Amino acid sequence: MITRNAPESWQALQTEVGLILSECGFAVAVEKKIHSARGTVELDVYAEETVRGRKYAIACECKYWKSRIPQAVVHSFRTVVQEIGANIGYIISMAGFQSGAVAAGDLTNLKLVTWKEFQDLFEESWYEEYFTKQIDEKLDGLMTYAEPLLPAWFERMTEKDKATYFALKEKHDLFGVVMQSLGPYSRLLREEPPPTLPLRSRLKPDPILSTIPDHILDETAYRELLDASIAHGEVALSEFRALRDKYAT
């Protein structure tokens, strides 16, 4: 899933839904007022993207209820979605839906989903549009150090600093290679779903795995993996750059 953290209030649910859609590339507004034929309506989340000149609009109703959503909510939201001209509407419920609500949503442009199901629907888009690009933006420098070519300033280093440099490569090379496999350029070479988590399940058992922190290897959600990887990678980059700054001109 995108994140294993569950929203703790209806405001947080709205915010999280909007954040995911924004990171997928949509222009997003939370608690947006829109004028319809029957007057002004306020949507929990409204999102738009333009693809080849065509607008695609999403309306979301976020329900942080302890009980299942009844069909009256579906009927009401279906009318709103139709009147504002949205392409699709999502009702996101933390507790699920009554059978009548599910029936009322059939054969319409509404999707009735739980928080996890909403993440599942947008997981691949989020991974492509946000996760891989953040890996590239934040950790591209570290991936460069993981490559076999030595930097131009390597020969100017003292023997002691050369030894330090190779120790850093031994410490961080596998992490850099793994991050490179999660970046956008590797994705261009392979058209497949986002990699399954945890990462440990995809890597061959090897003592060198100990160079990657357990909390990264064992993470089961993409956002938490991204945050942990960037934090670890930035520390590794600072170690390499401390050497670079002594010799690069």
Side-chain angles (χ1 to χ4, degrees):
M1 63 181 71
I2 293 175
T3 177
R4 54 182 163 76
N5 292 330
E8 297 182 350
S9 66
W10 64 266
Q11 298 98 327
L13 179 58
Q14 288 182 167
T15 299
E16 289 295 325
V17 167
L19 179 61
I20 287 174
L21 292 174
S22 176
E23 291 169 343
C24 285
F26 288 87
V28 172
V30 175
E31 297 184 4
K32 181 177 177 64
K33 293 182 179 179
I34 294 182
H35 297 291
S36 70
R38 294 193 300 171
T40 301
V41 296
E42 184 174 289
L43 299 172
D44 291 342
V45 180
Y46 180 78
E48 285 185 2
E49 68 173 348
T50 301
V51 179
R52 296 180 181 176
R54 294 189 296 271
K55 184 180 77 172
Y56 185 83
I58 292 175
C60 299
E61 182 88 351
C62 300
K63 295 298 187 186
Y64 197 87
W65 292 8
K66 294 181 179 180
S67 57
R68 296 177 181 270
I69 306 302
Q71 69 177 29
V73 171
V74 178
H75 286 309
S76 176
F77 190 58
R78 183 174 63 190
T79 300
V80 170
V81 170
Q82 290 172 345
E83 289 185 350
I84 66 173
N87 297 84
I88 191 168
Y90 293 93
I91 301 178
I92 301 106
S93 168
M94 298 298 292
F97 300 86
Q98 295 179 7
S99 58
V102 175
D106 287 344
L107 303 179
T108 72
N109 63 337
L110 295 187
K111 286 190 177 294
L112 281 54
V113 294
T114 63
W115 169 232
K116 183 182 181 303
E117 289 168 343
F118 176 80
Q119 292 186 65
D120 291 343
L121 287 171
F122 288 93
E123 180 181 87
E124 188 163 351
S125 292
W126 183 89
Y127 186 86
E128 297 289 348
E129 294 298 321
Y130 187 73
F131 183 100
T132 63
K133 293 178 180 179
Q134 285 291 298
I135 289 288
D136 182 55
E137 178 183 335
K138 304 293 187 181
L139 300 181
D140 181 61
L142 183 62
M143 297 179 218
T144 300
Y145 289 117
E147 294 174 353
L149 293 176
L150 295 172
W153 41 268
F154 179 82
E155 292 303 325
R156 295 195 291 273
M157 297 172 68
T158 65
E159 292 304 313
K160 180 179 178 181
D161 281 346
K162 286 180 180 179
T164 300
Y165 180 86
F166 283 122
L168 288 176
K169 281 186 62 64
E170 184 176 350
K171 179 181 177 182
H172 298 303
D173 266 5
L174 180 60
F175 176 75
V177 169
V178 171
M179 291 300 106
Q180 194 168 50
S181 74
L182 301 177
Y185 304 111
S186 294
R187 299 287 298 168
L188 289 174
L189 302 175
R190 302 188 305 274
E191 292 187 6
E192 56 188 31
T196 55
L197 298 181
L199 291 175
R200 191 188 297 276
S201 67
R202 302 172 56 243
L203 300 171
K204 294 180 179 179
D206 193 299
I208 198 174
L209 282 182
S210 63
T211 61
I212 302 178
D214 288 342
H215 70 278
I216 291 177
L217 290 174
D218 297 326
E219 182 53 66
T220 58
Y222 294 109
R223 189 185 296 283
E224 286 73 27
L225 172 63
L226 179 64
D227 292 343
S229 297
I230 289 175
H232 180 70
E234 287 177 341
V235 171
L237 266 171
S238 69
E239 293 175 332
F240 278 108
R241 287 170 176 166
L243 284 177
R244 178 203 64 186
D245 292 347
K246 291 172 64 176
Y247 297 99
T249 56

